[in-house]
Amino acid sequence: MKTATRRLLTLVLLTALTVTGLSAPALAQPPDGDIRARIEAVPGMRVVGERPAAPGQIVLDLAYRQPTDHRHPDRGSFDQRLTLVHKSTLRPMVLYSNGYDLGPSPNRSAEPTQLLDANQITTEQRFFGTSRPEGSDWSTLTIWQAASDHHRLIAALKKVYRSAWISTGGSKGGMTAVYHRRFYPEDVAGTVAYSAPNNTDDQDDTAYDARLEQLGTPECRAAIKTAQREALTRREAMAERYGRWAEGEKKTFQIIGSADRAFELAVLRLPMMFWMHQSTDGCASVPPATATEDVLYAWVAEVTQLPVYTDQTLEAFTPYFYQLGTQLGYAQFAAPHLDGLLRYPGIQEMRAYVPKDIPLRFQAAAMADIDRWVRRHGSSLMFVNGENDIAVAEHFRLGAGTHDSYLFDVPDANHHISIKGLRPDDAERATTALRRWAGQAGTAAR
């Protein structure tokens, strides 16, 4: 049977199943050379590897040539890394980003991919991982340039994948998906943003401080504050231990300045890290004031992820902190219960995380513009947040001009959430909207 005829019959079958409300069966895996050839035929695209794949799938690692500056495409270029999970060109495509590099498992299916039985393209963001323009100019690391990367990629791949496109991501990846929609609203049919902060005014962090006073029980909040005080009261021993660990692991603190400075910063961020990643059951693990040094240090190290503050980790995430310090903004937490124990004013500012030779100039209008667009013009947007997630103390809001969009809270949840974790009625509404956006309005739940 000729390829064109076979695809036509498959399309007719899918249409009939949709009309009758039945689920479409998994499509047969196409010949390897067919999809590879079509992808390699996309100008600027290279297949750089192939991964083991489940039956009915092909997983390709790709590199796509992007302009360093979309306003001046003649000023150099770089390879943006991608991973494609291909099922069928007749199925929807999910554009997924975690907001950083590709991560260890870029072929893992995002929730919308699973719900839609879709293809997936996972993107590494510019300046992260190996997707780095040459030179030391950071000025092209902006939300518009990154959105333009996605726009250009989608335009190229829509020649192969002509069904509906959905964008998604969690945390910074969710923010990335929304920023892309603001500048190129017609690129995809819908967006699902999980746990996406929306810091519209970087000078006002009172929403975060207020949220910290609402999470958990009064006893749990008091216990966390006591643990913070104890950590700084015993800071000489704690910082010395931190420094010994770093020396043994060949880690350094040149960017932040010292193990003591890094430890103070970690303790200030401790409540946020706790409520982002711990469940309410985690309150039982908070050490009391009488805890031994070993117990207290181990708990602080685990909750705050102390290795994050070393040069070796910060260097990999410099693009993230640069973005926070130039456009995205970041919360600085008030800590009156630590009065008399803090040594380093301004340690929570983004300048502390970024090497001094990289300039930071904050653009206060950037996030206000995104927020305004969502409320006045946003369409087919879905925001899913955890009720106990401090990261979304300032979250995206729907407005009078927002169309066909949704805001959901996962009950008693932190930063790690899913549509499946919603209340049953909300989960059904969210799934129905997602499938409608993807052109699967008549399909049964899988």
Side-chain angles (χ1 to χ4, degrees), residues 403-427:
H403 174 69
D404 189 19
S405 296
Y406 305 84
L407 177 60
F408 296 111
D409 283 330
V410 180
D412 198 29
N414 57 20
H415 202 58
H416 309 281
I417 54 172
S418 66
I419 288 174
K420 293 179 182 178
L422 291 170
R423 296 172 180 86
D425 287 351
D426 285 345

Side-chain angles (χ1 to χ4, degrees), residues 72 344 390:
H72 304 281
Y344 307 110
I390 182 63

Side-chain angles (χ1 to χ4, degrees), residues 137-430:
D137 181 8
W138 289 76
S139 65
T140 58
L141 179 50
T142 68
I143 57 174
W144 180 82
Q145 294 281 2
S148 298
D149 290 340
H150 280 186
H151 172 66
R152 189 168 175 272
L153 173 67
I154 291 170
L157 286 180
K158 275 188 175 179
K159 298 172 184 177
V160 178
Y161 296 97
R162 299 178 182 273
S163 295
W165 281 62
I166 300 292
S167 61
T168 191
S171 194
K172 185 173 181 290
M175 298 156 68
T176 299
V178 177
Y179 304 157
H180 166 237
R181 288 296 302 283
R182 184 267 176 264
F183 298 111
Y184 302 100
E186 303 303 321
D187 274 0
V188 299
T191 296
V192 183
Y194 299 86
S195 305
N198 180 36
N199 192 344
T200 56
D201 183 355
D202 196 47
Q203 299 301 307
D204 183 2
D205 294 324
T206 53
Y208 294 93
D209 295 326
R211 186 72 171 267
L212 281 178
E213 295 304 320
Q214 298 166 354
L215 297 175
T217 65
E219 293 77 15
C220 184
R221 295 194 295 270
I224 292 172
K225 291 178 181 178
T226 296
Q228 283 182 283
R229 284 195 60 85
E230 283 298 316
L232 292 180
T233 299
R234 309 185 207 182
R235 72 186 299 155
E236 305 302 334
M238 295 283 175
E240 193 273 335
R241 181 184 288 225
Y242 189 18
R244 282 202 318 270
W245 167 84
E247 185 176 355
E249 297 292 324
K250 294 182 170 49
K251 308 292 186 182
T252 54
F253 297 99
Q254 292 183 8
I255 295 175
I256 289 185
S258 68
D260 191 57
R261 289 175 63 91
F263 188 75
E264 179 169 303
L265 177 56
V267 170
L268 282 165
R269 296 180 74 242
L270 188 152
M272 180 192 71
M273 297 295 287
F274 180 90
W275 290 112
M276 281 180 65
H277 304 298
Q278 301 287 321
S279 66
T280 52
D281 294 340
C283 289
S285 70
V286 181
T290 56
T292 66
E293 180 184 310
D294 287 346
V295 170
L296 180 60
Y297 180 84
W299 182 79
V300 171
E302 178 183 2
V303 172
T304 64
Q305 302 174 22
L306 283 180
V308 164
Y309 304 94
T310 65
D311 297 332
Q312 288 66 34
T313 301
L314 290 180
E315 285 170 2
F317 285 93
T318 296
Y320 169 56
F321 295 113
Y322 176 88
Q323 288 188 286
L324 295 179
T326 55
Q327 290 187 313
L328 309 189
Y330 197 69
Q332 298 186 38
F333 295 92
H337 58 289
L338 300 180
D339 284 351
L341 296 174
L342 299 174
R343 295 176 177 175
Y344 307 110
I347 193 65
Q348 296 186 78
E349 295 176 2
M350 284 303 105
R351 181 77 271 175
Y353 297 86
V354 179
K356 301 301 183 288
D357 61 337
I358 299 176
L360 290 182
R361 183 177 63 83
F362 191 71
Q363 302 166 32
M367 293 301 100
D369 171 72
I370 300 294
D371 178 72
R372 199 161 42 243
W373 176 82
V374 169
R375 291 183 291 108
R376 296 180 181 179
H377 308 288
S379 179
S380 58
L381 301 168
M382 186 182 301
F383 301 102
V384 185
N385 299 321
E387 280 186 341
N388 293 336
D389 184 9
I390 182 63
V392 290
E394 290 188 51
H395 56 78
F396 285 99
R397 303 163 293 166
L398 308 183
T402 314
H403 174 69
D404 189 19
S405 296
Y406 305 84
L407 177 60
F408 296 111
D409 283 330
V410 180
D412 198 29
N414 57 20
H415 202 58
H416 309 281
I417 54 172
S418 66
I419 288 174
K420 293 179 182 178
L422 291 170
R423 296 172 180 86
D425 287 351
D426 285 345
E428 183 177 357
R429 288 178 62 211

